Amino acid sequence: MNLAAFLLATLVAHVGFAAFVTGHAHLTDQEAGNWPYITLALGLAGVAGYFFYDELS
């Protein structure tokens, strides 16, 4: 796989993950906060943070 194809696949995956986080938050009436932006930058790490990060109130 050449570099351009790898970067395109990574970009498509990160955008898809961010859309999933946004859609899940909308469907479950949760606040997505900054997680879609974090997911755009970090991919699966952002998805994991969205689902497992428990904010202390």
Side-chain angles (χ1 to χ4, degrees), residues 24-54:
H24 182 271
H26 178 73
L27 290 174
T28 59
D29 292 328
Q30 293 181 350
E31 180 65 36
N34 290 327
W35 289 113
Y37 305 114
I38 295 168
T39 302
L40 275 174
L42 302 176
L44 282 175
V47 174
Y50 169 73
F51 281 108
F52 300 114
Y53 179 74
D54 188 14

Side-chain angles (χ1 to χ4, degrees), residues 4-28:
F6 173 76
L7 292 176
L8 178 63
T10 300
L11 175 66
V12 169
H14 286 213
V15 169
F17 293 148
F20 172 76
V21 167
T22 303
H24 182 271
H26 178 73
L27 290 174
T28 59

